[in-house]
Amino acid sequence: MGHTDRQKPALESGSFNSRVGFILASVGSAVGMGNIWMFPYRLGSYGGAAFLIPYFLFVVLFGIVGLSGEFGLGRLTGTGPIGSYDYAMKTRGKKGGAFLGSIPLFGSLGIAIGYAIIVGWVLRSVWGSVSGSIITTDSAEYFSQMTGAFGSVPWHFAVVALTVFILLGGVLKGIEKVNKFMMPTFFILFLILAVRVAFLPGAVDGYRYLLVPDWNFLLKPQTWIMAMGQAFFSLSITGSGMIIYGSYLSKKEDIPHSAGMTALLDTCAALLSGFAIIPAVFAFGMDPSAGPPLMFITLPKVFAQMPMGRLFATLFFISVLFAGVTSLVNMFEVCAEAAQKKLKLTRTPAVLLVGALVFAVGIFIEYEPYMGAWMDAITIYVVPFGALLGAVMIFWVLGIEKIGAELNLGRKKPIGKVFAFFAKYVYIILAAAVFILGIVYGGIG
């Protein structure tokens, strides 16, 4: 199977119209709940600014090597994980690539099912902020109501329907257009929040929590493990989602540069979230605990005590909604592309099928403990294994020579031997470590 007879993306899907559109779509996929509720807590819990040293190191490595590899494989093959892994295996005269590619595909579908529920909670919280009900009632009670069994069906459905609607526009009119609006808006809204929070009495304690380094944490292996997991999952390296976005990319684009920009903007989003959330939490003497309670219980209590709290609650949840929807768009797209290629469906039936499947399974796990167990299983076992599989497929099965040739297209200066070394040895080992340590620690991302 030569380079010239590679599969082309379905004409109904199209391709990215510009580098900016592609980068913003990739950032949209990467920026999600982990940036907003997990990163600020991890930063404060593992040494403040000291945590940023290993985190930045891992972001650079995973961004330039991991994201570049997934983008490059997608552009080389013009298809998603099933077709891409099949292509890689066939270059070695082997079969079974399509089966292996279905593993990260299932990971994306699994995350989409749980994520759609969480984004449904966010949409309901937007309405609660606009109406004032999330601020005037006890936020813990509000949260328990919407996370009960079948507790958020209309909001859950609305999120799935919105994602389907975006995807029916294809890549150019749907994905690219929406990300060009949603991602800059996300940054602007969070910047407004961060500036407002800076003027709260007591906010300085939050900045101290985030920025005063405790260098002793750099001697603790757990700090490095958590930084590695946070960086890996934050960049949305799954062995599937970024491959599909790469498949819609022009041969003229400089992939390593785009990967670096994606990693940079994703990191900016995480830092911005931290500076908007943690100082506010400290200003009102709340606990900066991790997970959904921070976003859905603690922050509404903070907004309730702020002047114009209803407005700022609305801005906050709209920005989180945008982050969630842009991530969901990527997960749905991976599955829809597979349905188009493997089930021979046209764009519309493929997207509708994915939406129906996500909602039909998700409706039975809306109850928060069920959803939590589902997401733990997918994010601890399936997704990291799919990402590791992708790394092996790109840098060992397909090989550094073939993927390197693809990554050199659109570049003035070719990637060097340092990239090859880090890709074949360092990145692979760390991807394996993320998978194994995730199981040991019960999740590190």
Side-chain angles (χ1 to χ4, degrees):
M1 189 173 179
H3 184 81
T4 52
D5 64 350
R6 73 191 191 103
Q7 290 175 284
K8 297 294 288 182
L11 289 174
E12 293 176 272
S13 300
S15 59
F16 288 107
N17 198 36
S18 66
R19 176 179 294 180
V20 170
F22 169 71
I23 290 172
L24 288 176
S26 300
V27 172
S29 174
V31 174
M33 303 302 166
N35 298 70
I36 295 164
W37 74 37
M38 187 63 79
F39 176 80
Y41 169 74
R42 285 261 168 88
L43 177 58
S45 299
Y46 292 98
F51 177 84
L52 291 175
I53 293 173
Y55 181 76
F56 288 157
L57 286 173
F58 286 122
V59 163
V60 170
L61 176 64
F62 294 152
I64 293 173
V65 177
L67 281 182
S68 291
E70 292 200 2
F71 289 153
L73 180 62
R75 189 172 71 174
L76 173 64
T77 61
T79 186
I82 291 179
S84 293
Y85 290 28
D86 194 46
Y87 176 95
M89 291 293 278
K90 282 178 178 174
T91 62
R92 299 278 182 172
K94 305 286 185 185
K95 295 180 180 179
F99 169 74
L100 293 174
S102 67
I103 296 172
L105 178 71
F106 177 73
S108 287
L109 178 62
I111 296 183
I113 289 166
Y115 218 77
I117 298 168
I118 299 170
V119 181
W121 299 345
V122 175
L123 181 60
R124 185 167 173 176
S125 298
V126 170
W127 172 247
S129 301
V130 172
S131 67
S133 56
I134 199 171
I135 291 174
T136 54
T137 59
D138 180 61
S139 56
E141 189 181 322
Y142 193 91
F143 182 65
S144 66
Q145 284 174 0
M146 69 182 180
T147 57
F150 305 103
S152 203
V153 175
W155 308 98
H156 181 188
F157 178 79
V159 164
V160 173
L162 174 61
T163 308
V164 165
F165 177 75
I166 292 167
L167 285 173
L168 289 178
V171 174
L172 180 54
K173 290 182 182 175
I175 298 172
E176 187 171 353
K177 204 170 183 180
V178 163
N179 277 284
K180 275 186 171 180
F181 167 72
M182 285 190 173
M183 288 324 297
T185 306
F186 168 88
F187 280 98
I188 291 166
L189 291 178
F190 253 106
L191 191 59
I192 292 168
L193 284 166
V195 170
R196 173 65 189 90
V197 164
F199 290 97
L200 292 173
V204 69
D205 292 330
Y207 296 126
R208 196 174 288 123
Y209 175 83
L210 290 172
L211 291 176
V212 174
D214 183 343
W215 302 114
N216 291 324
F217 274 92
L218 290 179
L219 302 175
K220 298 178 181 180
Q222 198 169 353
T223 303
W224 292 80
I225 291 167
M226 292 302 168
M228 177 173 69
Q230 185 69 32
F232 195 85
F233 285 97
S234 180
L235 291 172
S236 200
I237 298 171
T238 62
S240 59
M242 295 307 194
I243 291 175
I244 197 66
Y245 275 3
S247 74
Y248 302 137
L249 193 58
S250 161
K251 291 287 187 185
K252 296 175 183 176
E253 295 301 335
D254 180 344
I255 284 180
H257 177 266
S258 295
M261 287 301 299
T262 301
L264 176 64
L265 290 172
D266 178 72
T267 303
C268 289
L271 289 169
L272 194 55
S273 300
F275 282 102
I277 293 170
I278 297 298
V281 169
F282 270 85
F284 293 102
M286 304 285 184
D287 177 27
S289 60
L294 173 66
M295 195 159 76
F296 294 107
I297 298 175
T298 307
L299 284 173
K301 289 179 179 177
V302 169
F303 292 128
Q305 298 175 60
M306 280 173 63
M308 298 176 67
R310 203 156 133 185
L311 170 65
F312 289 108
T314 304
L315 294 179
F316 172 75
F317 282 112
I318 287 174
S319 61
V320 176
L321 178 69
F322 286 0
V325 168
T326 51
S327 295
L328 265 181
V329 162
N330 177 261
M331 299 167 203
F332 274 49
E333 179 64 20
V334 177
C335 303
E337 189 270 352
Q340 284 177 264
K341 293 279 172 68
K342 293 298 166 187
L343 302 179
K344 309 298 182 191
L345 296 175
T346 53
R347 177 79 174 177
T348 300
V351 172
L352 290 172
L353 175 65
V354 173
L357 186 59
V358 167
F359 183 68
V361 176
I363 200 170
F364 293 104
I365 56 169
E366 282 191 356
Y367 183 44
E368 202 267 337
Y370 295 166
M371 193 280 299
W374 173 275
M375 289 296 275
D376 282 348
I378 297 293
T379 58
I380 292 171
Y381 300 99
V382 184
V383 171
F385 182 70
L388 173 59
L389 202 57
V392 172
M393 204 62 65
I394 295 164
F395 297 117
W396 281 93
V397 178
L398 181 66
I400 200 72
E401 194 175 310
K402 288 187 177 70
I403 196 67
E406 184 66 33
L407 294 179
N408 282 331
L409 295 176
R411 280 183 66 79
K412 292 176 182 175
K413 186 180 177 184
I415 57 170
K417 290 181 180 179
V418 173
F419 181 94
F421 172 78
F422 274 95
K424 284 186 74 173
Y425 303 105
V426 181
Y427 177 66
I428 293 285
I429 291 168
L430 292 178
V434 167
F435 173 56
I436 294 164
L437 290 167
I439 296 170
V440 172
Y441 280 89
I444 61 171

